[in-house]
Amino acid sequence: MEMKQELAFTKEELAELEAAKKMPITFDADCPETTPERAVKFRRVNPPRNRMNAHGA
């Protein structure tokens, strides 16, 4: 129970999250918008797993 309280959001944090959801995304030099050309060059750091065999099926 104590661990759950430590992991729970405060009312202030929940209000901040709601406000952040309503804000528009702003791209800049540090975080540019991804173009289709950049998306093609994107490489996953962790390869996708085969979920069919993950549960011994």
Side-chain angles (χ1 to χ4, degrees):
M1 186 66 164
E2 185 177 322
M3 183 71 126
K4 284 185 181 180
Q5 289 177 342
E6 286 181 26
L7 296 175
F9 289 111
T10 65
K11 289 181 183 180
E12 293 82 14
E13 290 171 328
L14 289 172
E16 288 178 14
L17 287 170
E18 284 302 316
K21 286 181 186 178
K22 296 174 185 174
M23 294 176 68
I25 297 172
T26 305
F27 298 104
D28 60 16
D30 290 331
C31 184
E33 187 171 9
T34 300
T35 63
E37 293 79 20
R38 281 193 211 143
V40 170
K41 294 179 182 177
F42 180 78
R43 184 178 61 88
R44 289 182 66 126
V45 175
N46 56 341
R49 297 183 195 172
N50 183 349
R51 294 185 184 260
M52 294 298 286
N53 292 330
H55 300 288

